[in-house]
């Protein structure tokens, strides 16, 4: 991802101009509390869901990622811990909204529907559930969470880019561990296994780059509500289509 030059200007941006102001530095109690609440919700879901449930598989992955981000918020990893915490909270809320919508009998966003619809399918393997959830959350939710955070902190996306990349580095560092934990053993998986081809068709790095590009595009048209809504709907539908393919049932 190309790094843009960031402004050191502080304070409220002019809504007509939209400065690239840095949000206030420092972890802040609100961010720490919010991340703690997100972790508590994920742990509650982990305790309530059967281990073989596809949503439980993704939730376990997401819990590990959020724990890793929480540890780094206070250790100097992030350029702006408060902004990183805010982004992490608003990112998590979109997953919880999908969980709550499904539990209430409402339709979640299109990007999440494949996972919730196929969560108990016997022909879908754990790694597929994990990747489908990551695809929905990174490909769709992350872009919208960047917009939510920019609005809350009154800053431009460029002000978040450095910490966006650092969160991405945490995800990348965990991706290999996730694949190792959920992949079948070497005796059960070889180059001819359909799962090998399926997981090779999706890239976390490309999904992150796509999310950043989508966030910038949506931010640039934020004063055109109809255009913004259409772009968001198309993003949602496209990510949902990828999720459906990732959850293709495979022979045992």
């Amino acid at each position: 991802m190309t790094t843009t030059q960031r402004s050191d200007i502080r304070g409220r941006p002019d809504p007509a101009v939209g400065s690239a102001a840095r949000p206030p530095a420092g972890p802040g109690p609100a961010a720490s509390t919010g991340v703690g609440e997100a972790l508590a919700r994920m742990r509650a879901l982990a305790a309530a869901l059967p281990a073989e449930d596809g949503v439980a598989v993704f939730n376990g992955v997401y819990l590990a990622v959020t724990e890793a981000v929480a540890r780094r918020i206070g250790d100097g990893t992030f350029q702006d811990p408060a902004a990183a915490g805010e982004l992490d909270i608003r990112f998590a809320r979109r997953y919880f909204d999908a969980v709550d919508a499904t539990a209430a009998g409402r339709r979640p966003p299109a990007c999440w529907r494949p996972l919730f619809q196929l969560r108990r399918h016997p022909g879908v393997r754990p790694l597929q559930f994990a990747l489908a959830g990551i695809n929905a959350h990174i490909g769709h939710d992350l872009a919208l969470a960047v917009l939510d955070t920019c609005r809350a902190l009154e800053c431009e996306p460029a002000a978040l880019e450095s910490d966006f990349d650092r969160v991405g580095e945490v995800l990348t560092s965990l991706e290999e561990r996730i694949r190792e934990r959920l992949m079948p053993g070497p005796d059960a998986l070889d180059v001819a296994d359909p799962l090998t081809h399926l997981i090779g068709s999706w890239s976390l790095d490309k999904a992150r780059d796509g999310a950043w590009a989508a966030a910038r595009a949506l931010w640039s048209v934020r004063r055109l509500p109809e255009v913004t809504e259409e772009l968001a709907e198309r993003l949602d539908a496209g990510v949902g289509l990828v999720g459906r393919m990732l959850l293709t049932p495979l022979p045992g």
Side-chain angles (χ1 to χ4, degrees), residues 31 40 47 54 122 152 181 207 219 229:
R181 181 164 64 87
W219 182 258
E229 182 178 359

Side-chain angles (χ1 to χ4, degrees), residues 59-238:
N59 187 79
V61 169
Y62 193 21
L63 175 58
V65 170
T66 305
E67 287 173 337
V69 171
R71 287 192 296 270
R72 287 164 172 79
I73 283 176
D75 70 1
T77 296
F78 295 110
Q79 179 174 325
D80 191 319
E86 186 74 20
L87 177 59
D88 193 60
I89 295 161
R90 292 181 180 277
F91 189 31
R93 284 176 185 164
R94 291 193 168 270
Y95 163 55
F96 298 143
D97 286 347
V99 171
D100 292 340
T102 303
R106 303 190 308 273
R107 281 162 66 87
C111 61
W112 284 107
R113 286 174 208 157
L115 178 60
F116 284 101
Q117 291 169 353
L118 297 171
R119 61 195 294 178
R120 297 181 181 88
H121 197 296
V124 179
R125 304 187 196 180
L127 183 58
Q128 291 175 262
F129 288 131
L131 291 183
I134 295 169
N135 169 69
H137 206 37
I138 299 291
H140 173 264
D141 292 356
L142 183 54
L144 297 185
V146 169
L147 265 66
D148 293 341
T149 304
C150 287
R151 292 189 183 106
L153 300 180
E154 298 180 311
C155 67
E156 295 283 326
L160 303 176
E161 187 172 7
S162 177
D163 288 332
F164 179 97
D165 287 341
R166 285 177 171 85
V167 170
E169 290 166 6
V170 174
L171 290 167
T172 301
S173 70
L174 291 172
E175 183 185 21
E176 185 175 347
R177 287 166 48 193
I178 291 165
R179 289 178 183 254
E180 287 177 353
R181 181 164 64 87
L182 297 177
M183 282 280 282
D187 294 337
L189 187 68
D190 57 36
V191 292
D193 192 306
L195 183 60
T196 304
H197 299 281
L198 200 61
I199 63 175
S201 68
W202 188 85
S203 164
L204 174 61
D205 287 339
K206 286 183 171 55
R208 283 198 303 115
D209 288 347
W212 182 251
R216 292 183 62 197
L218 287 165
W219 182 258
S220 71
V221 298
R222 66 192 182 281
R223 297 184 183 88
L224 301 172
E226 292 183 0
V227 177
T228 302
E229 182 178 359
E230 182 178 355
L231 284 176
E233 287 178 355
R234 291 182 181 275
L235 176 66
D236 189 21

